C-alpha cells in the first residue's frame, strides 16, 4: 500500500515540500510506503484540448507527466500539495491536474482511491486553493478524509512553515487519517 505526495512548488526544499514530507512521515508511521514527487524542474505542459485522451488514445504531449501519471495510478493514496500563487494553485500543479483529470475522466483509475490537498501560503488564499484542489479529488471519485482543521499552513521563506504548529499538526492528522482509510479500504 502506497501513498504519494506531489509537490507543485517550483522551489525545491520549500514550505510545501516540508509540509508534504511531514504528512508522508505520519503515513509511513502507520506502515504504508510513501514517495514524494517534486514538480520542480520538470517539464509539465498545459492541456491543449486535443481530446485524443478522451477518444481512447494517450496524451500526445511528450514531457515529464507520463511517469507521474503511472505512479498516480499505482498508488492507493495521492496528496496534491501546492503553495498559493496569486490566490490559486501553481501553474505546474494545475497543468498536472488538468491533464491527469482529463485522461482519467472516462476510465476512472482514481475512483475509490484516497487523497486530498495540502496548501501553504504566506498570508492569504489557502482556503480558495484548498477548495480548488478538492474539486479535482471529488470529480475523480476519491475518498477524502478530513483532519483537525483544513489542510492549510502559513510560511513565506523556506522553512517558515515549520513554525506553524497548528498547520503541521493538521497535516500530520490528515496523514494519519489517510493511512487509516487506506487500510480500512484494503483489508
Ligand atoms: C508568484 C508568487 C505568488 C504568490 N502568491 C501568494 C498569494 O496569493 N498569497 C500568499 O499568501 N502568498 C503568496 N505567495 C507566497 C507563497 O505562497 C509562499 O512563499 C509559500 O511558502 C511558497 O511555498 P514553497 O516554499 O513551497 O515554494 C506567492 C509567491 C509567489 C512566488
Amino acid at each position: 500500500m502506497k501513498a504519494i505526495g506531489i509537490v507543485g512548488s517550483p522551489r525545491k526544499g520549500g514550505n510545501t515540500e516540508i509540509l508534504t514530507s511531514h504528512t508522508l512521515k505520519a503515513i509511513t508511521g502507520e506502515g504504508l510506503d510513501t514517495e514524494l514527487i517534486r514538480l520542480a524542474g520538470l517539464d509539465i505542459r498545459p492541456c491543449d484540448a486535443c481530446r485524443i485522451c478522451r477518444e481512447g488514445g494517450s496524451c500526445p504531449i511528450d514531457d515529464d507527466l507520463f511517469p507521474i501519471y503511472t505512479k498516480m495510478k499505482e498508488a492507493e493514496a495521492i496528496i496534491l500539495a501546492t503553495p498559493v500563487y496569486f490566490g490559486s494553485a501553481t501553474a505546474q500543479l494545475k497543468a498536472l491536474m488538468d491533464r491527469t483529470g482529463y485522461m482519467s475522466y472516462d476510465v476512472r483509475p482514481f475512483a475509490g482511491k484516497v487523497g486530498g490537498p495540502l496548501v501553504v501560503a504566506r498570508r492569504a488564499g489557502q482556503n480558495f486553493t484548498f477548495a480548488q484542489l478538492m474539486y479535482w479529488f471529488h470529480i475523480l471519485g476519491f475518498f477524502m478524509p478530513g483532519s483537525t482543521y483544513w489542510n492549510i499552513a502559513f510560511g513565506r521563506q523556506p522553512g517558515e512553515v515549520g513554525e506553524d504548529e497548528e498547520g503541521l499538526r493538521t497535516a500530520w492528522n490528515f496523514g494519519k487519517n489517510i493511512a487509516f482509510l487506506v487500510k480500512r479500504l484494503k483489508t
Side-chain angles (χ1 to χ4, degrees):
M1 291 183 284
K2 186 170 182 181
I4 60 172
I6 298 175
V7 176
S9 172
R11 192 155 70 163
K12 286 183 184 164
N15 291 316
T16 315
E17 184 173 327
I18 291 166
L19 194 68
T20 307
S21 297
H22 191 65
T23 304
L24 293 179
K25 194 172 168 190
I27 297 173
T28 306
E30 297 297 326
L32 274 68
D33 295 327
T34 59
E35 181 178 355
L36 184 139
I37 298 169
R38 296 177 194 87
L39 301 189
L42 299 185
D43 176 23
I44 310 280
R45 278 172 253 162
C47 177
D48 62 10
C50 70
R51 287 189 54 85
I52 290 172
C53 67
R54 299 296 295 275
E55 285 150 17
S58 59
C59 180
I61 300 173
D62 184 15
D63 62 5
D64 296 325
L65 185 67
F66 196 74
I68 300 175
Y69 185 49
T70 302
K71 286 184 178 187
M72 290 167 76
K73 287 189 289 184
E74 289 168 356
E76 276 72 35
I78 299 171
I79 294 163
L80 295 184
T82 185
V84 174
Y85 275 17
F86 286 91
S88 297
T90 60
Q92 292 88 335
L93 187 69
K94 189 61 167 57
L96 177 142
M97 289 162 64
D98 290 345
R99 283 173 58 206
T100 58
Y102 221 46
M103 279 192 261
S104 63
Y105 190 70
D106 297 316
V107 283
R108 315 296 297 165
F110 301 130
K113 291 188 190 290
V114 177
L118 285 176
V119 180
V120 187
R122 175 185 74 84
R123 184 173 178 84
Q126 289 101 329
N127 282 10
F128 175 87
T129 306
F130 182 71
Q132 185 185 23
L133 268 52
M134 281 210 294
Y135 289 126
W136 185 91
F137 287 101
H138 186 96
I139 200 167
L140 296 174
F142 281 84
F143 297 121
M144 276 180 283
S147 183
T148 40
Y149 197 79
W150 302 307
N151 306 330
I152 64 165
F154 288 84
R156 183 181 198 173
Q157 302 301 342
E160 277 185 9
V161 75
E163 295 160 29
D164 180 2
E165 190 270 329
E166 185 175 4
L168 290 173
R169 183 160 22 95
T170 303
W172 183 268
N173 292 335
F174 175 56
K176 292 281 179 196
N177 284 345
I178 283 193
F180 173 86
L181 191 51
V182 166
K183 287 195 271 191
R184 278 292 171 102
L185 290 169
K186 288 287 164 188
T187 53

